[in-house]
Amino acid sequence: MRKVLVVLLAVLGMAGLALAQTTVRVGVLLPISTVAGKAALNGVQLGVDEVNAGGKVKIELVVVDDGNTPATAVPALTKLMTVDRVDIVIGGLASGVTFALSGPVKQYNPLFLCIGAASSVVEQAFSDYGRFFHYHPWDYHNVAAALEFFKHLYDSGARRVAILYEDGPFGSAGIQTYRQQLERQGYTVQAEAFKSGSGSFTAILTRLKGFRPDILYWIGYDVDALPIAAQTRQVGLEPKLIYGAPPAWPVGFEKNTLSNDVAGMTAWLPSVANNESRRFVTQYRRKFGEVTDEYMAPMGYVIALSLGKAVEAANSADKDRIAAELAKVQMSTPFGPLSFKPSDTGRTRFQGFNQSIWLQFQYLEGSRRPVFPASRAARPLRFPGNY
């Protein structure tokens, strides 16, 4: 009789464990053929592995490629909603794509966990959507962090800034504000738009020679990094600093000598010294056999972990109960503390990170080294750089 009771309790215990596990299907909508998209997907998968290993929550991923274009992203989202029938979506990396998704998202009403899309145009587009959680800083946060660095450069003698910006939502949304802020700091500014991916900057850079900029500041995508670095030298522009602001840098750019002394901004590098960052690096290396320095990887990881916490707290697969718990999440991350609050403009209700996560780096001897602010610098900034 005692043996039967033990077996019965064991069976009931196993049943209880099964009942305690909440399963959610999550759509992942990313440009997985790009550097940033692949890094983000790896991070999401790593975080989901950790959540699932905990036993209380099971996250099942349905991954689709948004092609980094609205023409592919909109039907991909429609498939997630109507065929795969997910209630939660992780995605929204490029601003232009995410802006195009705003209408379909509002039509299908998923809980939308946005990994990128810094443009305030996107913030405006989702301003009336209550299931929108934006983890990445907005463009005005990026501007605030960059302006702090530019103030440091002004104090170091820089006076003229040439801005090259891609003509889509990512590059052009805040350009006038950016220009005004730099001029307020004392800079003389000349700004020119370009078509990202064109590969041809010679005409613009030649025009800028007469302006004699101390800083060549470009806002575009990874495909623009190498042509700009190469053609700046070809036309003899000779700025004191080339500063780039793409969402992700091209793979292997650090191995090209043209990258040397090029500076930029990132939210994270593997050398960031906090416990969560070190833990992420260890686990990433264990799963993928390498270490990435793309901050979209830990961003995807953080989204998956925070979702797991919210699902566990909700004890339900209901998207609104999960959203209510996600709004209360407070956790340590490789970027620092995460909690959600209304965006600075008040347009969206759930904003995760702000300008505090950004650091400035410089390509030095084949790798990215933090150089600003001083409290996070691993090396002094080389200014002027040798281009």
Side-chain angles (χ1 to χ4, degrees):
M1 183 64 186
R2 178 181 174 84
K3 184 176 181 181
V4 171
L5 180 61
V6 170
V7 171
L8 179 61
L9 289 174
V11 170
L12 290 173
M14 291 174 64
L17 178 61
L19 289 174
Q21 188 179 61
T22 304
T23 300
V24 292
R25 296 189 82 204
V26 177
V28 180
L29 182 62
L30 290 168
I32 53 181
S33 61
T34 68
V35 175
K38 179 60 177 173
L41 178 59
N42 284 352
V44 170
Q45 290 178 328
L46 190 65
V48 166
D49 288 350
E50 187 170 323
V51 169
N52 291 350
K56 294 183 179 178
V57 173
K58 183 178 181 182
I59 298 177
E60 298 176 349
L61 297 181
V62 182
V63 179
V64 293
D65 190 351
D66 75 10
N68 212 24
T69 66
T72 303
V74 171
L77 176 70
T78 302
K79 173 185 174 295
L80 286 174
M81 298 292 100
T82 60
V83 178
D84 302 305
R85 295 190 176 280
V86 303
D87 280 334
I88 304 169
V89 175
I90 298 172
L93 199 153
S95 293
V97 171
T98 311
F99 177 76
L101 290 174
S102 60
V105 166
K106 292 174 186 175
Q107 177 184 350
Y108 294 111
N109 290 314
L111 173 57
F112 192 71
L113 311 183
C114 189
I115 192 170
S119 173
S120 49
V121 174
V122 176
E123 184 188 22
Q124 179 67 45
F126 282 93
S127 61
D128 58 349
Y129 190 65
R131 296 190 178 106
F132 180 72
F133 283 73
H134 189 251
Y135 288 72
H136 194 283
W138 290 113
D139 49 12
Y140 47 77
H141 295 132
N142 307 356
V143 169
L147 284 174
E148 185 182 352
F149 182 50
F150 276 76
K151 181 179 184 304
H152 171 72
L153 296 174
Y154 187 88
D155 293 342
S156 301
R159 293 293 183 269
R160 296 171 181 266
V161 181
I163 303 178
L164 298 181
Y165 62 97
E166 68 92 25
D167 60 1
F170 174 68
S172 61
I175 191 65
Q176 294 307 324
T177 301
Y178 219 150
R179 178 174 192 146
Q180 291 166 5
Q181 293 289 336
L182 287 169
E183 289 174 343
R184 195 169 297 163
Q185 285 189 347
Y187 281 106
T188 302
V189 180
Q190 183 168 330
E192 304 240 9
F194 69 89
K195 182 69 69 180
S196 182
S198 68
S200 178
F201 299 92
T202 302
I204 297 177
L205 294 170
T206 300
R207 276 201 303 277
L208 290 175
K209 275 188 72 176
F211 179 59
R212 294 180 291 105
D214 296 307
I215 303 167
L216 176 63
Y217 175 26
W218 64 270
I219 306 168
Y221 291 98
D222 53 347
V223 295
D224 306 313
L226 193 55
I228 288 176
Q231 293 167 32
T232 295
R233 292 164 170 83
Q234 289 170 5
V235 305
L237 188 56
E238 298 183 340
K240 294 177 181 175
L241 190 70
I242 297 177
Y243 183 84
W249 292 82
V251 173
F253 185 59
E254 72 280 0
K255 295 181 176 64
N256 193 311
T257 55
L258 292 172
S259 73
N260 214 30
D261 291 353
V262 172
M265 188 166 70
T266 185
W268 175 84
L269 288 171
S271 56
V272 168
N274 67 49
N275 290 337
E276 289 73 24
S277 179
R278 284 192 285 265
R279 182 163 166 270
F280 168 78
V281 169
T282 299
Q283 292 183 296
Y284 193 96
R285 181 185 285 116
R286 185 178 298 150
K287 182 174 179 64
F288 299 107
E290 59 183 7
V291 178
T292 181
D293 58 0
E294 292 298 333
Y295 75 89
M296 278 297 166
M299 191 66 78
Y301 176 73
V302 167
I303 291 176
L305 292 187
S306 62
L307 175 61
K309 285 179 176 292
V311 174
E312 182 178 347
N315 194 26
S316 168
D318 180 82
K319 61 185 175 186
D320 287 325
R321 291 178 64 176
I322 295 170
E325 294 300 332
L326 189 58
K328 295 184 281 188
V329 159
Q330 294 188 19
M331 58 186 284
S332 299
T333 80
F335 306 105
L338 170 69
S339 62
F340 291 96
K341 55 183 71 66
S343 65
D344 291 8
T345 64
R347 289 173 178 159
T348 55
R349 294 177 57 191
F350 305 111
Q351 174 59 35
F353 297 111
N354 60 23
Q355 64 266 29
S356 64
I357 72 172
W358 291 115
L359 60 87
Q360 312 297 330
F361 69 85
Q362 192 170 30
Y363 283 97
L364 295 165
E365 289 85 41
S367 65
R368 289 196 266 185
R369 311 292 181 91
V371 294
F372 187 86
S375 60
R376 302 175 71 183
R379 291 274 300 270
L381 172 70
R382 197 143 63 196
F383 182 82
N386 181 20
Y387 302 107

